[in-house]
Amino acid sequence: MKKSVFMSAVVIAAACVCLCFTGCKKTEKKASNAVDALKARGVFVLGLDDSFPPLGFRDDNNEIVGYDIDLAKEVAKRLGVSFKAQPIDWDAKEMELETGKIDCIWNGFTITEDRKAALSMSFAYLDNEQVLVVRDDSGISTLEDMKNKIVAIQTGSSAQEAVDDNPAFKNSLADLITLKDNIAALNDLKIGGVDGVVMDSVVANYSIAQTGEPFTVVSKALANEEYGIGFRKKEPELRDEVEKILTEMAKDGTISAISVKWFGKDISVVSK
C-alpha cells in the first residue's frame, strides 16, 4: 500500500514537471514573437520628445500631435491595437526602449551606423539635414562666420555628431552648449544667450514658419540625414511588420495625405 502511494506520488510529480515545462515552452514561444506580444497587450507605445514640431509636439490643448504621431496612429489602427504617445527623456531614449517602457523610438530619430548596430532600425521614411539657425540681425550667413561664437544643440540629438563631423566648424566656436530640447535652444537664441543653434531642418523651418521669429537657416548644411524608427534589437519582426504597413500606407495614399497636412506637400521617402 505504501509502495503504491509512493509510486502514485512520483507519477503525479513527474506529470506536474512536464506540464510546467510545456507551459514554459508555450509562453516562451508566444513571447518570442514581438508582433503577437504587442497585439496581446493591445497598445502600441511610441517614445518621443514632445517638443519636436512638426513631428511630435503639444498643441494649444496640450495634446500630443504631429506628422509622426499621425503615421503611428494609423499603423496602430492597422495592427488592431490602440495607440499611446509616451514622452521620454530623449537623452535616455535607448534605455527607455530596452527596459520595455516603450515599443519604439519614433520622433525624428536619425539613422546612424551605431543605432543600426544597437537596434532594429527601420528603413528611412523622411529626409532631413542638420542646419545652423541664427538671428536675422546677426550678420552671420556662413558657417565660417561662427568663429568665436556660441552654439547650442539638443542633448542626445544627432546635432552633436554633425558638429563633431565638422571639426573646422567645431574648433572655431567659442563654446558648444547642450540644452534639453530645440525649443529651449531657440528661446536662448531669441534672447541672445547663444549665437546659433544646430538642429534638424524639418523642425527649424516649421518653427520659423509657425512662430514668425526673426531667424534664418544658413544655407550650407552640416549633415544630411534620414529619419527611421528604432525597435529593440531582438524584435526585428515588429520592425518588419511596421515597415510592411507603412509601405501599404504609401501605396494607398495615406502617407501622402498626412505629409500634405503637415508640410504642404508630399516629402515622404517611403517607397510605394
Side-chain angles (χ1 to χ4, degrees):
M1 180 70 177
K2 290 181 180 180
K3 182 177 179 181
S4 176
V5 171
F6 174 76
M7 289 302 293
S8 297
V10 170
V11 171
I12 292 171
C16 289
V17 170
C18 290
L19 285 171
C20 287
F21 277 113
T22 302
C24 290
K25 286 180 181 179
K26 287 183 179 178
T27 301
E28 182 180 348
K29 182 178 180 181
K30 182 178 181 180
S32 69
N33 188 324
V35 178
D36 288 344
L38 175 65
K39 290 181 178 180
R41 290 196 305 273
V43 57
F44 182 43
V45 184
L46 176 150
L48 80 158
D49 164 14
D50 61 354
S51 57
F52 202 75
L55 304 184
F57 65 105
R58 292 187 181 273
D59 64 12
D60 293 338
N61 297 317
N62 204 36
E63 296 292 328
I64 298 177
V65 298
Y67 178 71
D68 285 352
I69 303 302
D70 283 354
L71 290 181
K73 280 183 176 179
E74 181 63 24
V75 167
K77 179 181 177 182
R78 298 189 187 200
L79 279 169
V81 298
S82 62
F83 169 79
K84 179 180 179 180
Q86 179 61 57
I88 58 174
D89 179 353
W90 196 248
D91 199 31
K93 52 191 173 296
E94 288 85 359
M95 184 183 300
E96 298 276 0
L97 180 64
E98 288 306 313
T99 54
K101 294 181 179 179
I102 57 176
D103 294 308
C104 67
I105 304 169
W106 188 346
N107 186 220
F109 193 39
T110 302
I111 299 172
T112 67
E113 291 304 316
D114 287 344
R115 287 170 179 172
K116 286 195 288 186
L119 306 172
S120 289
M121 286 296 301
S122 75
F123 54 42
Y125 68 92
L126 206 62
D127 287 336
N128 180 56
E129 295 176 323
Q130 286 297 322
V131 296
L132 174 67
V133 181
V134 297
R135 294 185 300 277
D136 286 347
D137 61 359
S138 66
I140 298 169
S141 59
T142 67
L143 298 180
E144 290 71 27
D145 292 336
M146 288 299 293
K147 184 177 181 180
N148 297 323
K149 305 291 186 182
I150 301 174
V151 164
I153 59 174
Q154 179 183 11
T155 302
S157 71
S158 56
Q160 179 70 66
E161 292 181 32
V163 173
D164 290 342
D165 290 342
N166 287 270
F169 172 75
K170 182 179 181 179
N171 294 333
S172 75
L173 301 175
D175 198 8
L176 178 67
I177 65 172
T178 58
L179 296 173
K180 181 182 179 181
D181 54 52
N182 286 313
I183 291 177
L186 290 176
N187 286 336
D188 219 14
L189 177 64
K190 181 180 179 180
I191 64 175
V194 297
D195 301 295
V197 178
V198 174
M199 60 187 295
D200 302 66
S201 63
V202 169
V203 181
N205 291 322
Y206 182 84
S207 297
I208 293 171
Q210 293 296 311
T211 65
E213 294 291 355
F215 298 150
T216 297
V217 176
V218 173
S219 59
K220 183 179 179 181
L222 280 88
N224 295 313
E225 299 179 339
E226 294 177 319
Y227 288 151
I229 311 160
F231 299 86
R232 281 178 280 276
K233 189 70 173 179
K234 63 184 179 182
E235 296 182 350
E237 65 275 7
L238 181 55
R239 174 205 59 198
D240 295 346
E241 185 66 17
V242 171
E243 286 184 335
K244 176 184 174 183
I245 294 173
L246 285 174
T247 300
E248 293 171 353
M249 289 167 58
K251 290 179 179 178
D252 65 28
T254 302
I255 290 183
S256 179
I258 294 173
S259 184
V260 171
K261 171 185 173 181
W262 289 103
F263 301 107
K265 58 183 178 180
D266 186 359
I267 63 171
S268 169
V269 297
V270 179
S271 299
K272 298 179 181 179

